[in-house]
Amino acid sequence: QKEVEQNSGPLSVPEGAIASLNCTYSDRVSQSFFWYRQYSGKSPELIMSIYSNGDKEDGRFTAQLNKASQYVSLLIRDSQPSDSATYLCAVEASNYQLIWGAGTKLIIKP
Amino acid sequence: GAVVSQHPSRVICKSGTSVKIECRSLDFQATTMFWYRQFPKQSLMLMATSNEGSKATYEQGVEKDKFLINHASLTLSTLTVTSAHPEDSSFYICSARGVGATEAFFGQGTRLTVV
């Protein structure tokens, strides 16, 4: 059974601080990893994709991948109240299907 | 990014009736479409995967005769919930992926309420 694990939270972070979200996965052959943001009542929105070990930065967001440890993380710098949402980690399996984590609820406190 | 349009965004129907949800890729050809269901405070649950021109592949526990999926063209897939019951009330979301694409794009989702 392929699994993706996330801490459900909520994770509370002060405005302006760095939010760190973590995800582990079980399938060693996975090659594609995604972070989605989902606001309540809305569909997921792709924030970051990462395919190779190391860091990938896009604006205030940095995704980190460590395939040896089967670990993916998302860092959000200078957290804003608008970043408050549920963050879903997804790992690509066969036929482009995504295996989803349960999501981490992030709360940015002004 | 590419645009996926899903309609309707909200629908209320009576128990026993059928509801059709449309998912369109507006600026790319979607060779693969995915249909998800999401209950409150839960993650997305994949219902089925459909490739254009082929029958959909349903996940275990999803009734193919109840959730009819049609992917007749490269820009349109539909999900029909037949003989809907209150327990089918949920948030249904489609996503679409094009040839050679590295990611799938999501529709806006459909909130179905069966009364």
Side-chain angles (χ1 to χ4, degrees):
Chain A
Q1 179 86 7
K2 299 174 183 175
E3 294 181 342
V4 175
E5 300 284 343
Q6 290 182 259
N7 188 319
S8 62
L11 174 65
S12 185
V13 173
E15 182 176 358
I18 296 175
S20 178
L21 304 162
N22 305 312
C23 171
T24 59
Y25 60 95
S26 63
D27 188 359
R28 284 194 166 275
V29 302
S30 297
Q31 297 294 321
S32 303
F33 308 86
F34 306 90
W35 282 99
Y36 285 85
R37 177 175 64 196
Q38 187 176 27
Y39 293 113
S40 180
K42 303 293 184 182
S43 67
E45 171 192 9
L46 182 66
I47 298 296
M48 292 284 286
S49 58
I50 187 165
Y51 308 101
S52 56
N53 280 327
D55 294 1
K56 178 181 178 182
E57 186 175 319
D58 184 0
R60 296 187 295 112
F61 299 94
T62 299
Q64 299 174 319
L65 174 61
N66 184 325
K67 290 184 180 179
S69 300
Q70 296 174 242
Y71 177 90
V72 190
S73 66
L74 179 70
L75 301 177
I76 306 174
R77 289 181 298 281
D78 188 22
S79 296
Q80 304 296 309
S82 60
D83 295 327
S84 298
T86 295
Y87 288 80
L88 299 164
C89 174
V91 177
E92 190 172 274
S94 61
N95 194 23
Y96 304 128
Q97 291 181 358
L98 295 177
I99 309 299
W100 295 88
T104 299
K105 184 174 183 178
L106 176 65
I107 299 172
I108 306 300
K109 292 188 171 182
Chain B
V3 179
V4 176
S5 178
Q6 184 176 344
H7 291 282
S9 57
R10 290 180 178 272
V11 58
I12 300 173
C13 71
K14 291 184 177 181
S15 187
T17 62
S18 295
V19 174
K20 180 184 283 188
I21 302 169
E22 290 190 350
C23 181
R24 293 181 183 273
S25 56
L26 298 186
D27 51 2
F28 68 101
Q29 293 184 325
T31 49
T32 306
M33 285 194 173
F34 305 91
W35 286 95
Y36 296 91
R37 181 167 53 182
Q38 187 176 33
F39 292 106
K41 300 189 186 300
Q42 294 186 23
S43 191
L44 281 73
M45 186 190 79
L46 180 65
M47 299 176 67
T49 302
S50 72
N51 294 299
E52 185 267 338
S54 305
K55 288 184 178 180
T57 301
Y58 290 80
E59 295 301 300
Q60 192 171 8
V62 178
E63 301 174 56
K64 63 180 181 180
D65 294 330
K66 179 171 182 63
F67 299 99
L68 302 178
I69 292 172
N70 184 291
H71 190 173
S73 78
L74 285 171
T75 59
L76 174 64
S77 177
T78 60
L79 167 66
T80 302
V81 182
T82 63
S83 186
H85 289 95
E87 57 265 32
D88 298 324
S89 298
S90 188
F91 191 47
Y92 292 86
I93 312 170
C94 71
S95 72
R97 183 168 180 150
V99 176
T102 55
E103 61 203 44
F105 296 91
F106 281 79
Q108 302 93 322
T110 298
R111 174 74 58 192
L112 171 63
T113 303
V114 184
V115 297

